[in-house]
Amino acid sequence: MSLSTFKLLRPRTLDEAIGYLAKHVDAGDSPARLRVIAGGTDLIPSMRQKLFEPEYVLDLRHVDELNGIRERQGSGVEIGALTSLSDIEQSALLRRRYPVLTEAAATVASPVIRNMGTIGGNICLDTRCLWYNQSLTWRKGCGFCIKKDGDLCHVAPGGTKCWAAFSADTPPALLCLSAEVEIVGPGGPRRIPLREFYTGLGDTYRVLQPNELLTRIFLPEATADYRGVYRKLRIRGSIDYPLAGVAVAMKRSNGHVADARVAITAVNPAPLLVKGASEALKGKVVDEALAEVVGGLAARTAKPLTTSALTPEYRREMIRVFTKRAVLAAGA
Ligand SMILES: Cc1cc2nc3c(=O)[nH]c(=O)nc-3n(C[C@H](O)[C@H](O)[C@H](O)COP(=O)(O)OP(=O)(O)OC[C@H]3O[C@@H](n4cnc5c(N)ncnc54)[C@H](O)[C@@H]3O)c2cc1C
Ligand code: SF4
């Protein structure tokens, strides 16, 4: 599967990158016109499958100011969007202060992909579906769908909505840490909580406009030093996207939970905080019964459909089981 022809834009600074965006795309344009590339570990396979055939590709790899992990005295940690997943996995600072993030990053794909893949690319990752992540020939043969070139959904026939699953590992960890993201476009920067970055729709899954970039991630001081656990279901243990994933971040005091958050991925069109989990855990001592309750809340938040090779029932059940195990591990 070859790549279609495109014009490669290679900025050296953020200003230059924004200049290219201002010149070549408007906020209302289809994202199909220009695609941003960071590590390329997801974009290039998708371009080969003709899911994207952009006229321009904006390569961020030489924008050094978007790379790196910086401690901000008394106000948490800032991570550049171009920071590789390997650098996050191996960061002693993050491992010590935000272990749920290093644990989640370490489960992404394989070491080679983590060397190339970036945290920004992981947050912006396209949603996935059995009927979508296929070659053009396959999709043509089986019939196109709402997410690309068609007007029906094979997963939920009769509906008008795309249910493709958001399947990245680090966003649930970042949600548990109450992370914020910086978005920069021709109009300047804005900063929003990560939970507001996703729309909950499988096709237009993020609020980022075609002329905007994700530039930085902020981890607040308030969630530093929380215990962290990430558990993930995948078909190939050595290298695979999550088909269900659970992150837990927990602070304890005198054996009781002082604060905690639980988030799930790969079972909805967006990564989600589990409703009611923080309230259920707060002030309690973690035991089997409590972990079971939180597992039930997570399973209720999960709405998997037949977007992957495993059945929705199995994926929802694994969300329950992994949440229970992760809560027990964080509370041990
Ligand atoms: C075999 C295989 C296994 C994989 N397994 C996993 C897995 O287990 N878990 C997982 O989470 N992922 C997995 N991936 C997907 C991918 O490798 C990672 O999600 C990676 O973090 C993507 O980062 P990237 O920099 O390579 O993104 P790219 O491929 O460069 O970009 C991904 C998307 O994000 C957009 N983008 C990237 N950076 C920015 C930015 N700064 N601003 C705006 N838009 C941006 C791109 O336009 C594109 O739409 C796998 C991929 C492969 C090929
Ligand atoms: S959920 Fe439906 S519309 Fe979305 S990619 Fe799958 S088949 Fe297509």
Side-chain angles (χ1 to χ4, degrees):
M1 285 184 280
S2 59
L3 290 173
S4 303
T5 309
F6 56 84
K7 295 187 188 87
L8 185 63
L9 308 171
R10 283 208 152 145
R12 298 254 158 199
T13 64
L14 180 57
D15 282 350
E16 213 184 322
I18 298 301
Y20 278 130
L21 287 171
K23 185 172 171 195
H24 296 295
V25 269
D26 289 323
D29 272 352
S30 151
R33 177 130 196 260
L34 180 148
R35 281 278 158 185
V36 170
I37 190 166
T41 59
D42 194 65
L43 188 78
I44 295 295
S46 297
M47 284 174 64
R48 286 189 193 283
Q49 291 179 319
K50 307 282 186 279
L51 292 170
F52 308 126
E53 295 180 89
E55 195 180 331
Y56 298 97
V57 172
L58 181 67
D59 179 3
L60 297 181
R61 261 174 303 181
H62 303 287
V63 183
D64 292 340
E65 66 206 271
L66 295 184
N67 200 341
I69 301 165
R70 284 172 281 273
E71 192 162 20
R72 303 157 77 234
Q73 271 319 315
S75 56
V77 168
E78 174 189 318
I79 305 174
L82 274 193
T83 309
S84 74
L85 293 166
S86 297
D87 283 351
I88 287 173
E89 177 190 359
Q90 287 155 21
S91 159
L93 170 67
L94 293 178
R95 186 164 294 281
R96 181 168 49 83
R97 304 217 70 201
Y98 302 96
V100 68
L101 178 59
T102 51
E103 201 175 306
T107 72
V108 173
S110 65
V112 172
I113 290 180
R114 293 198 292 277
N115 286 343
M116 293 287 292
T118 64
I119 182 90
N122 202 243
I123 292 170
C124 293
L125 193 69
D126 193 11
T127 53
R128 297 182 64 77
C129 175
L130 263 183
W131 298 88
Y132 171 72
N133 297 98
Q134 302 288 355
S135 68
L136 178 61
T137 314
W138 192 102
R139 286 181 286 120
K140 217 184 247 174
C142 287
F144 295 118
C145 71
I146 295 169
K147 189 159 161 72
K148 172 88 179 137
D149 297 330
D151 54 10
L152 58 87
C153 174
H154 302 286
V155 168
T160 54
K161 199 176 155 188
C162 170
W163 293 93
F166 181 80
S167 308
D169 288 300
T170 65
L174 293 168
L175 285 177
C176 285
L177 296 171
S178 302
E180 294 187 344
V181 290
E182 181 187 69
I183 294 171
V184 181
R190 62 193 165 106
R191 189 166 153 172
I192 57 169
L194 179 66
R195 65 175 186 280
E196 291 174 14
F197 185 74
Y198 301 104
T199 63
L201 303 172
D203 43 2
T204 48
Y205 61 98
R206 54 187 191 187
V207 298
L208 200 70
Q209 296 298 316
N211 62 351
E212 291 181 325
L213 296 174
L214 179 77
T215 47
R216 290 185 289 173
I217 298 104
F218 300 96
L219 306 180
E221 184 64 27
T223 55
D225 307 325
Y226 277 36
R227 291 169 177 228
V229 178
Y230 183 68
R231 293 286 180 269
K232 158 177 181 179
L233 172 70
R234 52 185 156 182
I235 293 181
R236 299 170 294 184
S238 57
I239 173 173
D240 233 329
Y241 290 86
L243 293 177
V246 179
V248 175
M250 188 184 286
K251 181 182 178 183
R252 293 196 319 165
S253 173
N254 297 326
H256 292 68
V257 179
D259 187 32
R261 266 172 292 284
V262 179
I264 57 176
T265 190
V267 281
N268 296 82
L272 292 176
L273 281 164
V274 172
K275 257 198 200 146
S278 302
E279 295 76 5
L281 287 161
K282 197 167 179 159
K284 311 261 177 55
V285 175
V286 173
D287 60 13
E288 285 271 329
L290 180 60
E292 186 74 48
V293 167
V294 180
L297 293 172
R300 272 202 287 285
T301 306
K303 304 267 182 292
L305 293 177
T306 318
T307 53
S308 76
L310 299 181
T311 65
E313 293 78 12
Y314 181 61
R315 284 160 64 207
R316 189 183 297 109
E317 175 60 9
M318 291 313 287
I319 284 283
R320 194 186 64 73
V321 170
F322 281 164
T323 301
K324 183 178 169 185
R325 289 181 191 164
V327 167
L328 284 171

